[in-house]
Amino acid sequence: MSLYPSLARPRTLADAAALLASLSSGGVVIAGGQELMPSINAGVLAPEVYVDIGGLAELRGIAETPEGLLAIGALTVHRELQTHPLVTAKLPLLGHAATRAGGGRQVHNRGTIGGNLVAQHPLYDLAPSLLALEAEVEWVKGSETVRQPLAAMLADSRHGLGSEAILARVLVVPMAEGLGFAYEKLKASGGAYGSANAAALVKLTNGRVAAVRLVVGAVAERLLDASAAAAALLVGRPFDAAAGAALAHAVSALVTAPLSDAQGPGPWRQAMAGVVARRAVAAAVQRAGRA
Amino acid sequence: MADRDPALAEAPAPGGYVGRAVRTLEGRAPIVGAARYSNDFRFPGQLHAAIVRSPHARARILKVDLSGARKVAGVVLAMDGREVATHLGPIPHYIDPATFGGKSAEVRTMAVDHVWCHGQPVAVVVAEDRRTARWAAAKVQVAYEVEPAVLSVEDAIAPDAPRVVPGWDDNVIMAVPFRNGDPDAAFARADHVVATTVRIHRFSTQPIETRCYNAVWEEETESLTLYGTAQNPHPLRHVLSKVLGMPEGRIRVHAPAIGGAFGMKMHGHPEESLVCLLAKLLRRPVKWVETREECLLIGAREQVHHLELAFSRQGDLLALRDRFFANTGAPSACPGWGMAFLTGLTMPGPYRVRDIDVTMTALVTNKPSWNAARGYGKEATALALELALDEAARQLGFDPAELRLRNFIPADAFPYASPTGLQYDSGDYAGAVRKAMEAIGWDGWRARQAEGPKDGRYLGLGIAYELTPEGGALPGTMVAGYDSSTVRVAPDGSVRVLTGVTTPGTGNPTGIAQIVADELGCPIEWISVVQGDTTTCPYGFGNYSGRSTIVGGGSAALAARAVREQMLKVAAAMLGVGVQALRLSNGVFDSGDGRTLSFAEVAYAAYTRAYDVASCITPPLEAQATFRPPSIRHSPDADGRINPYPSYSNAAYAAVVEVDSETGQVKLLGLAAAHDCGRVINPLLVEGQACGAIAFGVGGALMEEIRFDDAGHQLTRSFMDYVMPRAEDMPGVTMVHHDSPNPDTYMGLKGAGEAGVGGSAAAVVNAVNDALKPFGVAIHDLPLTPARVWAAIHGSGAAGGAA
C-alpha cells in the first residue's frame, strides 16, 4: 500500500505479463478504468502499481481467425461491439447485449469487454450472451498463454480485479444463419443496474425448437446456464404459452440462492429469473421464425 | 386580517418584462463552464481536511488514536472531537425546538464521547492535499463500544427504548396536537370511517454539487472568510460567530454559484464551523469537499401516518384524524426536524373539513440527521392526505376526482382561515383539478383502461392535490418572512441590484431583474444582480421556502421605485417640466413635447450636477427597501395559533401509469400539472422549477430510497444505490397555469420553488393503486419499487384470476 502509486506502461503484452508476475499483490491492470477507478475513488482498492495496458496493440481489434472464430481483443470497447460490422453480422446477440449495458455513451466508449468480464460481476451485461455463445477466452500469465472456456474463467476466483493474469482475447464461434437470439434485461428504473437478465439463442425447425441456449444473470452470485433445463422442456415442441410458463417455472426453480440487494429482494429476483428467461426465449423464437 | 399594503397595488402595468419567458441572465456561465462554484475557489497554501466518521449507529467512544495519521508526511493537524470541543461551542439550532416547547439537544461539531449515528464526525485530519488527508484519515484508530441502536419510530417510542440523547426522558423532540372543532362528535355521527396507514420512506435531495467550504484566515484584520455552499450567508455568519466565539463583524460569508441546494445547504452542518476553526488555528486556508457518500448521509421525510377519515353517506369529509411520527434521525442544528411540524400545520391541505385531530410526534433515532428538503414537510401532508382520500374513494365507491371536488375549499371562500390557524390567500382548487385532468386527457385514458389489460399490462390513472405554504417566517428564528434589496444606478446608467435573497441555481436573479427593469423602465441587459455576500449585500436571509422572488423581487421593486422617483426628479429639472409630464420607458425619459433624455444622461447628471439640476435629490442614485409581507401573523390568536406564511401555492397533478403485472414495473405514460403560483414573472423559470419538483416526486414515489441494515449502517452510499429518475423514466410533463393572484404580496406572487414533490408523488402512487384495483390491493408503503408492486399483486391471490 502506498499513498503515491506508480504507473507502468509496458510496450508489449509479454512485458506487461512479466511485470505483473513480478509485482505479486501490489499491481493492478488498468485499461478503460470504468470498473477500477470507482473502486479506487471509494477507497476499496489502493494499488501500488497501475499497469496500463491501454496502449497494447496486441489486445485491440476484432478479426476472424484461420479456424473460423471471431477473435475480439480485450481492449474492444462497448461502443465498438455495438457498431462493428463483424459483430453485427456474426454475433448480433453480443452486439445487442452491448447496447443494453449500463452507463451512457461516454462509459460505452471507455469500458472494455476485457474489463467487463474480468470484473466477474453478476449484474454485468456481456457475460450472459458470451456464455450462451459458448465463448472461449485467452489469457496470459507470466510467460504462459492459456485458452479456456469463458465459463471456466468466470468460475475461477483467482480472476477478477487485481489478478496477475491479463485477458487477451475472447474467441467466439459465429452464429449460424437463421439462429434466433435475444437479450432481455429487467431493471427497476432507467439508472439502475439490472435486476435480472437473460441471453437466449434458439434454432427453429419447422416451427419447433430444435436447439436452445439460455443463460440467466443478475439473480445469483454466478450466472445460471439453464440451457439443459430449457432444452429438456422445449426441444421438439413449438414454443407456446404453456411451454413458456413451464420454462419460467423451471428457471426460477434453478435459482436456489437468489441475490437480495439494492436491485431487489430475493423472492422477486427468483421470480424475475423465470420471467426474463421466458421473454428472452420468446423473442429469440420470434426472430428465428422471421429469418 | 392584516391591512393591505398600498404599495402592493402599484405594480407597473403589464407589457414589460414581467410575465415573459426571458432567458436567464446568469445561465450562460454554467453552460460554458465559466461558473465559479465553491470548489473552484483555490487559495495559495490551501490545506485540505478529511473527516473520520463513525461506522456505528450508536456507540461509546473509548479511545481515539491519532498517532497513525500524524505520522503521515504532509499531515499538519489531526484532532478528535474532545479537542475540537475545547475550541468550539455548541452549534445554535436553525430552528430550536425549545422555542416551540420541544426539547433542544446540545449539538457539537464532532462526537465527544458518544456517537449517535452512522457517519457522525469523530476526528479530522488536515494535510497538504486532499489525497493525503483522506489517506491519513484512514489511519485514525477509534475504539468503540457498540450499543443497540434505535432505528424505527416504533423502536423510538417504546417505553424502554434506549435514549438517543443521553439524559432525555424519551426520544421525542416535540409532540404537537393540531386540533380544531369537535372531531370526536364528527366521527361518532359519520356514516363511514376509513383508516389508512401511510409509510413515507427516507429519501433525499441530491444536488450535483455536494457541499464545499473554504475558510480563509486574514491575519491583517484577524478575520475569517468562508467561501462555501451556503443558502443563507448572513444567518450562517451569525452561527459561525456563536460557535467560534468571534464577533460577526470579523466574519464574512461568501456564497458563489450553487449547483443545486433544495434545502440541503441550509446551515447547521458541523463542517461549516469546523473548517473555519482549522483555518483559524493553522493560519492557512483550509478546504473541505463533501463526498457523495457523505452527502447521502443527510436524510429527510421519513414519516408514518395513521389516518382516519370520517365521511357522510354523500361523501362529505366530516373529520380527519392523523397520528403521525417522524423519524428525524439524530439531533442536528440543521432545520430538518421542522419539516414534521409543517406536515401537521398544513393539514388538512386544500380540504374544507373543520373538525380535525392531528398529532405530530417528531422523534430522534440513531439514523443520520435530517436537513431541510424541498417540500419541507408539506410534501408529506399531500402524500398522506391524497393516498388516504383515494383509499376512501375505493372503499366507499366514489370517483376520486368527484370526492375531491366535493370537499375542496370553494374558490369564493378566500381568504380562508384554516383549522390549524393558517390564512390561505387565494386559490381555485376545483378549477385546477379540472384543468389537470383535461391536460392529461383523462377521459380518453379512462376509456382505454375500460378496454382491459393488454399482455398483463394494467393502466392506472391518479390525481392528487398539493397545497404548499411558501415564504415562511418562524418567530425567534432566522426563518424570516421579509428581505431587503438595494438598487443602485451608476453614472453610466447601469443598474446593480444587491439583494439579501440568494439563488441555488433556480434563476431568481433573472426574475428579480425582470421586476426591476419594469419598475425602472430600462432594458434588462443593463441590470446585474448581486447575491450571496455578507460584505456587499444588505442583511438578508437567503434562499428557502420558495421566498426569493416574493421578498427579493418585492424589496427590489420598492427600492427601484425609489430610485426611479429620484431620476424622474432630475430629468424633470433638466427638461424644465413637471415630473407628471415625464414618461420613462425603454431607458428614455420623454417630456411629451418632442424632447427626450436618455437614462444615462439623467444618471450622469444625478451624480455630477448635485448643485444644479440634481439639487432636488440626495445622491447617490441608490435606495434600499424591505418587503415584509403583511399577511404573516406572529401574534397568536385566541387558540395560540399563528400564520407563518404569506403565500399558498397549490397545484393539481394527474398521472397515468402502466403496471406490468408480471414484473411489477411501473411505466409512466403521462403527467400533467395545473399550477397556481400567483402571478407568473417568468414562465420558463416557473415551469423549470415545477418540472424539477415533479421529477423529485417521481423519484420518491418509485425509486429513491436511503436504506439501512438492521444495525443502522447506511447501505446507500453512491448513485449506484441511490437511483434518481433518468430521462427515460420521465414522460413529457404537461404544465398548465391556473393562477390566482395573491392579494398579500407584490404583484400577486406566490412561491414557486418548493411545490410539486408531494403532489406528483401522490398522483403517481394513486395511479399505480388504480392500476392494481383489479387485484383488490393498494400500496401505501413507499417507494413503489417493482418488487413491492409485484409482491402486492402476487400476494393478493387474485394474480391468476385477474391477469
Side-chain angles (χ1 to χ4, degrees):
Chain A
M1 299 264 280
S2 165
L3 176 52
Y4 298 103
S6 48
L7 174 71
R9 210 167 254 165
R11 292 201 175 83
T12 67
L13 180 57
D15 285 354
L19 176 61
L20 272 175
S22 73
L23 290 171
S24 68
S25 64
V28 63
V29 172
I30 182 163
Q34 300 306 289
E35 175 71 16
L36 186 67
M37 290 315 295
S39 307
I40 288 162
N41 289 339
V44 176
L45 285 179
E48 283 182 18
V49 182
Y50 292 81
V51 180
D52 179 3
I53 61 167
L56 297 181
E58 298 149 272
L59 303 182
R60 289 211 172 273
I62 300 174
E64 284 176 284
T65 68
E67 48 186 323
L69 302 178
L70 218 61
I72 302 169
L75 292 177
T76 304
V77 297
H78 288 67
R79 186 71 187 142
E80 290 174 274
L81 295 174
Q82 293 163 10
T83 54
H84 198 285
L86 273 177
V87 176
T88 308
K90 311 230 172 214
L91 296 173
L93 172 61
L94 179 61
H96 180 55
T99 65
R100 303 298 317 276
R105 184 65 62 86
Q106 296 96 324
V107 174
H108 289 174
N109 270 322
R110 283 204 66 84
T112 65
I113 188 172
N116 190 297
L117 296 176
V118 165
Q120 296 184 321
H121 200 298
L123 305 182
Y124 286 4
D125 290 287
L126 297 185
S129 295
L130 288 167
L131 217 49
L133 290 162
E134 298 176 275
E136 293 181 296
V137 290
E138 194 177 273
W139 46 270
V140 179
K141 182 177 175 184
S143 55
E144 174 193 19
T145 299
V146 176
R147 180 166 161 180
Q148 68 174 180
L150 172 64
M153 189 200 101
L154 292 176
D156 185 344
S157 63
R158 288 173 307 164
H159 293 287
L161 293 170
S163 139
E164 289 172 38
I166 299 173
L167 184 68
R169 327 190 269 172
V170 181
L171 299 157
V172 200
V173 180
M175 287 166 56
E177 197 84 9
L179 195 61
F181 67 91
Y183 181 65
E184 179 75 22
K185 181 178 184 180
L186 178 79
K187 50 184 183 175
S189 68
Y193 278 100
S195 301
N197 60 49
L201 291 166
V202 175
K203 185 182 176 194
L204 281 191
T205 308
N206 299 327
R208 290 167 189 272
V209 175
V212 58
R213 292 278 309 153
L214 175 65
V215 176
V216 178
V219 293
E221 274 302 328
R222 293 271 167 85
L223 298 186
L224 172 68
D225 188 335
S227 301
L233 282 168
L234 306 181
V235 169
R237 298 173 53 188
F239 188 75
D240 55 16
L247 176 69
H249 189 263
V251 168
S252 285
L254 290 173
V255 183
T256 49
L259 290 173
S260 194
D261 54 26
Q263 277 62 52
W268 179 68
R269 302 287 277 283
Q270 188 181 19
M272 292 309 106
V275 172
V276 292
R278 196 201 70 226
R279 289 182 178 183
V281 170
V285 165
Q286 205 174 25
R287 270 210 184 87
R290 277 205 306 267
Chain B
M1 252 201 71
D3 290 333
R4 294 271 191 270
D5 185 337
L8 300 181
E10 292 173 12
Y17 289 99
V18 167
R20 276 168 48 194
V22 174
R23 290 183 67 169
T24 55
L25 304 175
E26 68 285 5
R28 177 192 154 271
I31 286 172
V32 302
R36 202 163 172 224
Y37 294 97
S38 290
N39 195 23
D40 295 320
F41 282 71
R42 308 279 159 94
F43 299 92
Q46 187 162 48
L47 299 165
H48 295 255
I51 292 169
V52 180
R53 294 177 186 272
S54 169
H56 305 295
R58 185 161 173 265
R60 296 206 68 74
I61 298 173
L62 302 177
K63 186 169 188 274
V64 180
D65 180 358
L66 301 164
S67 60
R70 286 176 173 147
K71 279 183 205 144
V72 174
V75 169
V76 297
L77 183 74
M79 284 199 292
D80 64 9
R82 187 171 293 279
E83 190 180 350
V84 168
T86 65
H87 298 286
L88 295 179
I91 309 173
H93 289 262
Y94 206 126
I95 303 173
D96 190 342
T99 309
F100 304 92
K103 290 205 279 286
S104 179
E106 184 180 275
V107 178
R108 288 279 170 180
T109 310
M110 301 179 96
V112 176
D113 52 17
H114 186 264
V115 164
W116 56 30
C117 67
H118 176 193
Q120 188 177 3
V122 172
V124 63
V125 177
V126 185
E128 297 288 345
D129 59 78
R130 188 178 187 212
R131 187 177 168 78
T132 305
R134 290 183 68 184
W135 176 269
K139 303 208 175 288
V140 173
Q141 306 257 333
V142 186
Y144 296 96
E145 185 181 304
V146 179
E147 298 173 337
V150 177
L151 298 175
S152 67
V153 296
E154 289 81 4
D155 286 350
I157 50 174
D160 58 346
R163 304 299 186 243
V164 171
V165 183
W168 278 19
D169 54 2
D170 56 23
N171 289 318
V172 178
I173 301 175
M174 193 166 154
V176 184
F178 298 90
R179 202 180 159 91
N180 190 69
D182 190 350
D184 298 335
F187 269 95
R189 71 166 192 276
D191 296 311
H192 306 286
V193 174
V194 177
T196 317
T197 294
V198 174
R199 288 180 183 273
I200 303 166
H201 59 300
R202 187 180 176 104
F203 64 108
S204 175
T205 65
Q206 287 292 312
I208 295 304
E209 180 206 28
T210 57
R211 291 183 298 131
C212 170
Y213 308 112
N214 308 271
V216 178
W217 175 259
E218 310 276 0
E219 186 63 34
E220 183 188 8
T221 52
E222 296 181 89
S223 64
L224 264 172
T225 302
L226 183 69
Y227 301 83
T229 47
Q231 286 177 255
N232 322 93
H234 278 100
L236 173 57
R237 185 183 71 180
H238 180 74
V239 165
L240 293 176
S241 99
K242 293 284 182 200
V243 181
L244 291 156
M246 286 173 66
E248 285 195 60
R250 294 234 181 124
I251 302 171
R252 175 187 174 204
V253 177
H254 179 90
I258 290 185
F262 315 113
M264 191 180 267
K265 291 166 184 169
M266 294 176 77
H267 54 77
H269 297 286
E271 297 87 357
E272 297 153 351
S273 45
L274 180 63
V275 175
C276 288
L277 170 68
L278 298 171
K280 190 180 168 193
L281 289 177
L282 294 164
R283 300 294 200 252
R284 286 176 67 180
V286 177
K287 180 191 285 287
W288 174 77
V289 185
E290 185 183 49
T291 64
R292 183 58 61 185
E293 184 174 348
E294 289 171 317
C295 190
L296 279 161
L297 290 169
I298 299 165
R301 298 196 171 112
E302 186 177 352
Q303 296 187 358
V304 183
H305 288 254
H306 302 287
L307 297 128
E308 287 177 87
L309 278 60
F311 286 95
S312 73
R313 193 161 288 114
Q314 295 76 27
D316 293 313
L317 179 57
L318 304 175
L320 166 74
R321 194 174 276 140
D322 183 13
R323 299 275 174 276
F324 78 91
F325 301 88
N327 185 340
T328 72
S332 162
C334 291
W337 78 272
M339 293 177 73
F341 181 74
L342 264 297
T343 302
L345 192 66
T346 310
M347 294 280 180
Y351 301 104
R352 61 179 159 75
V353 56
R354 303 295 306 175
D355 295 308
I356 67 163
D357 172 15
V358 174
T359 307
M360 174 282 270
T361 307
L363 294 155
V364 284
T365 65
N366 293 118
K367 286 183 175 175
S369 314
W370 283 13
N371 196 4
R374 189 182 203 172
Y376 203 68
K378 295 157 281 195
E379 79 289 358
T381 314
L383 273 165
L385 281 176
E386 297 298 314
L387 268 54
L389 270 175
D390 259 36
E391 180 62 24
R394 272 188 296 277
Q395 287 191 22
L396 306 181
F398 288 105
D399 176 81
E402 284 304 317
L403 190 63
R404 286 175 174 80
L405 292 172
R406 188 173 186 91
N407 285 291
F408 279 139
I409 298 160
D412 60 6
F414 295 96
Y416 176 83
S418 92
T420 64
L422 303 180
Q423 184 180 293
Y424 301 178
D425 55 86
S426 61
D428 171 21
Y429 307 148
V433 161
R434 292 196 182 97
K435 265 194 182 174
M437 290 170 73
E438 189 188 338
I440 206 164
W442 186 268
D443 295 339
W445 285 112
R446 269 280 185 247
R448 277 179 62 177
Q449 188 185 34
E451 293 165 12
K454 294 189 174 59
D455 300 330
R457 293 169 198 273
Y458 289 72
L459 277 183
L461 286 71
I463 52 169
Y465 215 88
E466 181 182 316
L467 175 81
T468 323
E470 294 188 86
L474 293 172
T477 74
M478 284 286 192
V479 182
Y482 67 95
D483 223 299
S484 307
S485 298
T486 299
V487 171
R488 289 179 187 153
V489 175
D492 72 346
S494 59
V495 182
R496 176 152 288 198
V497 182
L498 303 107
T499 176
V501 301
T502 57
T503 175
T506 55
N508 70 54
T510 298
I512 292 170
Q514 287 176 263
I515 290 170
V516 170
D518 280 3
E519 287 284 355
L520 282 181
C522 74
I524 196 167
E525 292 77 17
W526 297 0
I527 299 174
S528 58
V529 178
V530 180
Q531 299 174 298
D533 192 324
T534 57
T535 300
T536 51
C537 295
Y539 197 98
F541 296 88
N543 165 259
Y544 50 84
S545 196
R547 69 193 299 273
S548 300
T549 308
I550 301 177
V551 289
S555 59
L558 298 175
R561 201 172 291 171
V563 173
R564 173 194 170 97
E565 296 304 317
Q566 290 178 299
M567 293 185 75
L568 280 169
K569 282 183 188 168
V570 174
M574 290 170 80
L575 293 166
V577 298
V579 167
Q580 288 75 15
L582 282 178
R583 285 196 42 192
L584 166 57
S585 67
N586 205 24
V588 176
F589 292 82
D590 188 336
S591 62
D593 56 10
R595 291 177 304 152
T596 61
L597 285 170
S598 75
F599 203 77
E601 285 174 302
V602 174
Y604 190 75
Y607 280 91
T608 58
R609 298 174 66 183
Y611 300 94
D612 174 11
V613 290
S615 62
C616 53
I617 65 160
T618 305
L621 282 179
E622 174 172 329
Q624 182 169 329
T626 295
F627 179 55
R628 178 162 50 183
S631 55
I632 292 175
R633 193 194 69 244
H634 281 174
S635 49
D637 65 12
D639 299 313
R641 299 177 302 198
I642 61 172
N643 176 39
Y645 286 94
S647 137
Y648 292 82
S649 301
N650 58 90
Y653 299 87
V656 178
V657 303
E658 182 183 78
V659 175
D660 182 340
S661 61
E662 197 171 47
T663 63
Q665 282 178 305
V666 174
K667 185 176 180 193
L668 270 167
L669 302 182
L671 268 172
H675 190 272
D676 172 9
C677 63
R679 174 108 172 250
V680 173
I681 298 295
N682 185 333
L684 276 183
L685 301 182
V686 167
E687 288 165 22
Q689 285 296 296
C691 286
I694 287 168
F696 259 106
V698 168
L702 298 178
M703 55 193 95
E704 296 175 34
E705 183 174 23
I706 296 173
R707 298 162 68 241
F708 295 83
D709 70 11
D710 292 342
H713 304 119
Q714 186 165 318
L715 302 174
T716 307
R717 295 183 169 196
S718 76
F719 284 168
M720 288 190 268
D721 318 310
Y722 192 79
V723 183
M724 292 173 285
R726 297 279 178 95
E728 68 184 276
D729 298 309
M730 287 295 293
V733 176
T734 311
M735 279 284 304
V736 289
H737 297 279
H738 189 67
D739 307 325
S740 51
N742 183 346
D744 305 318
T745 58
Y746 174 81
M747 278 195 172
L749 304 185
K750 301 180 188 180
E754 252 194 309
V757 178
S760 59
V764 170
V765 173
N766 285 344
V768 173
N769 284 334
D770 184 53
L772 297 182
K773 217 172 166 182
F775 302 98
V777 291
I779 310 172
H780 297 132
D781 283 4
L782 306 184
L784 302 192
T785 59
R788 190 166 270 160
V789 173
W790 175 85
I793 293 171
H794 292 263
S796 71

